[in-house]
Amino acid sequence: MKKTTLIKNIKSLHGIIDDSTTPLKAGAAMNELGTINDAFVWIEDGRITQYGPIAEAPTTQENTLVVDAQGGLVLPAFVDSHTHIVFAKSREEEFEMRIKGKSYEEIAAAGGGILNSANKLQAMSEDELFEAAKTRLFEVIGYGTGAIEIKSGYGLTVEDELKMLRVVKRLKAISPITIKATFLGAHAIPAQYKQNRNEYIDLVINEMLPKVAAENLADYCDVFCDQGFFTVEETERILIAAKQYGLKAKIHGNELGYTGGVQVAVKQQALSVDHLEYTGDEEIMCLKNSGTMPVGLPNCSFFLGIPYAPGRKMIDADLPFCLASDYNPGSSPNGRMSFVVALACIQMKLTPAEAINATTINGAYALELSQTHGSISKGKVGNVIITKPIPSLAYIPYSFGVDLVYKVVIKGEIWNR
């Protein structure tokens, strides 16, 4: 017997895409958010099979789970395509350093930043890392995240990078939502390799990558291509090696300057290029007609006080645009995607509809989940957010600090927040 769920009394159902093969939204289409008022959603065996006006709702069976939305809005669950939630300890001491005027680069040069997290992670056991990351994962599901990417990059030794990715593999095994794993061994140059960068890059290519592939620990390979981190040439070398192991490219790019991250991302057919705080006309033209999704991380800009990625300009140039949380201990210690939506509207001048598409269907594209996640579509996974009763979609970013989630439904089941 099929397991069925009816969500009823929906004030308005948003994020409808009738053609479930639509991979993403770009340009003017990003402001289109399919909507039905006074609606229902019907889920069978974890998949959406019907939706529409409440008068057309199917008859419930004895075993149907009936979820009363109580006049709230229903949206597709968020797809967070960029996180670092496997980490050892918080870094609030660096937060105080920034308050006193130290820059991100100055903190990193003094042994803070990524290297600080690496030192802390190297001292923590795999089991301890797993338990801490599981808590964060379950927390963000409660905020409405229905699929997520998790990176390594705080190990920076062969064993510690593998340790991080083994934690992600364990999370995949117990997670109610889809997780994609990204190998980010090229996140920073460890202190002991500062005088011999090539030796560390050789370690990433010749030792880390083969072992990651042998244990099937990652879906993607990422590189921090930016000033003070990895050059375009180093990035390309690592990504070409990763491709030989079947790992598609992702790139941290242009967070700290116009450093060529976008250009190398497009050249290497990266699935996404993320950060983009420094993006001009040349980068926008490069992204046009490519398959690379530009991803903005407004939490990072907010927390570090750096520029925001020009999402408005990219959308006006007919590009797609994606938003993610960048949940990490140093520059974005927050995984609540509704806050990402609010920052996108307030600081990046996206409309609420654009921000929702950027955190749902376009996030799904950035994780190769377009066919299963990111919209209210027949056949897609039944992961949805039910809000508390609110006046409109715009109220979500308008009330930026308020938790408006009433219930989260994952594969047709109510997630216990």
Side-chain angles (χ1 to χ4, degrees):
M1 183 179 292
K2 288 184 177 179
K3 196 169 188 179
T4 56
T5 302
L6 170 66
I7 306 175
K8 65 176 185 176
N9 292 334
I10 301 171
K11 178 180 179 178
S12 54
L13 176 64
H14 298 276
I16 298 166
I17 300 180
D18 289 329
D19 181 0
S20 63
T21 64
T22 300
L24 55 79
K25 290 200 172 186
M30 286 195 64
N31 199 38
E32 299 168 2
L33 197 64
T35 300
I36 298 174
N37 294 325
D38 301 318
F40 78 93
V41 175
W42 183 264
I43 301 168
E44 292 185 4
D45 291 338
R47 299 272 176 164
I48 297 168
T49 57
Q50 296 183 62
Y51 53 83
I54 189 62
E56 299 175 8
T59 303
T60 58
Q61 312 294 321
E62 185 177 340
N63 68 326
T64 300
L65 172 64
V66 178
V67 181
D68 189 345
Q70 298 188 355
L73 280 53
V74 170
L75 314 165
F78 297 118
V79 180
D80 191 350
S81 67
H82 184 128
T83 83
H84 304 255
I85 68 169
V86 176
F87 62 84
K89 301 289 183 180
S90 58
R91 288 177 7 212
E92 64 274 13
E93 69 280 4
E94 295 178 14
F95 174 66
E96 290 196 59
M97 290 170 71
R98 279 196 301 276
I99 291 171
K100 294 174 182 177
K102 295 290 185 182
S103 70
Y104 183 85
E105 294 94 326
E106 287 172 327
I107 293 168
I114 294 163
L115 299 183
N116 186 4
S117 281
N119 289 334
K120 292 176 178 179
L121 184 135
Q122 290 163 11
M124 185 173 276
S125 73
E126 181 180 316
D127 286 343
E128 290 173 312
L129 281 172
F130 172 76
E131 290 299 329
K134 182 174 73 171
T135 298
R136 296 182 198 111
L137 174 66
F138 288 178
E139 171 192 61
V140 299
I141 295 172
Y143 293 153
T145 293
I148 196 168
E149 182 256 21
I150 306 173
K151 302 180 189 293
S152 70
Y154 292 137
L156 304 184
T157 70
V158 175
E159 282 309 311
D160 290 300
E161 284 294 308
L162 293 175
K163 179 169 69 175
M164 288 189 74
L165 290 169
R166 287 171 185 146
V167 168
V168 180
K169 190 170 187 177
R170 288 172 64 181
L171 291 172
K172 284 186 176 186
I174 58 95
S175 173
I177 68 171
T178 298
I179 296 174
K180 290 294 186 84
T182 299
F183 167 59
L184 182 55
H187 199 190
I189 299 287
Q192 64 267 37
Y193 293 96
K194 286 294 183 184
Q195 303 306 315
N196 193 347
R197 299 171 61 86
N198 282 331
E199 187 178 345
Y200 182 69
I201 293 166
D202 287 343
L203 185 73
V204 171
I205 292 172
N206 298 325
E207 295 192 45
M208 292 186 189
L209 272 170
K211 291 181 178 180
V212 168
E215 293 189 40
N216 193 28
L217 292 176
D219 302 290
Y220 308 116
C221 178
D222 196 345
V223 179
F224 194 173
C225 181
D226 221 322
Q227 62 187 32
F229 292 88
F230 293 84
T231 67
V232 166
E233 293 74 21
E234 292 166 343
T235 298
E236 194 160 33
R237 184 180 162 205
I238 293 165
L239 294 180
I240 288 170
K243 193 177 296 185
Q244 296 173 358
Y245 293 100
L247 299 180
K248 291 187 178 180
K250 283 180 166 285
I251 288 182
H252 281 58
N254 292 41
E255 177 185 358
L256 305 172
Y258 295 95
T259 50
V262 170
Q263 289 84 346
V264 73
V266 171
K267 183 179 179 182
Q268 292 301 317
Q269 299 178 307
L271 189 57
S272 71
V273 56
D274 305 20
H275 272 292
L276 303 176
E277 287 84 351
Y278 290 86
T279 298
D281 293 340
E282 181 180 340
E283 286 76 18
I284 287 173
M285 287 303 298
C286 184
L287 285 163
K288 284 200 168 203
N289 302 315
S290 78
T292 300
M293 175 66 73
V295 181
L297 306 174
N299 280 7
C300 176
S301 298
F302 172 80
F303 195 71
L304 296 182
I306 61 177
Y308 288 81
R312 174 78 273 141
K313 188 173 183 179
M314 291 189 223
I315 294 170
D316 290 345
D318 292 327
L319 286 175
F321 188 60
C322 174
L323 293 161
S325 76
D326 193 22
Y327 192 177
N328 76 80
S331 61
S332 180
N334 186 325
R336 185 177 292 191
M337 289 289 279
S338 60
F339 186 62
V340 173
V341 169
L343 286 177
C345 295
I346 297 164
Q347 298 290 344
M348 304 166 90
K349 305 307 178 187
L350 272 66
T351 67
E354 289 169 338
I356 295 297
N357 279 320
T359 52
T360 56
I361 186 64
N362 286 0
Y365 176 91
L367 294 182
E368 299 182 295
L369 295 175
S370 300
Q371 303 305 308
T372 54
H373 292 72
S375 67
I376 305 297
S377 304
K378 291 179 182 178
K380 288 196 175 182
V381 174
N383 292 356
V384 302
I385 301 164
I386 305 172
T387 75
K388 298 170 184 176
I390 58 177
S392 67
L393 187 75
Y395 193 81
I396 295 173
Y398 166 79
S399 58
F400 64 92
V402 180
D403 181 8
L404 297 175
V405 174
Y406 168 55
K407 291 186 185 297
V408 176
V409 175
I410 301 295
K411 297 178 183 175
E413 299 282 347
I414 297 172
W415 175 253
N416 184 6
R417 303 181 75 204

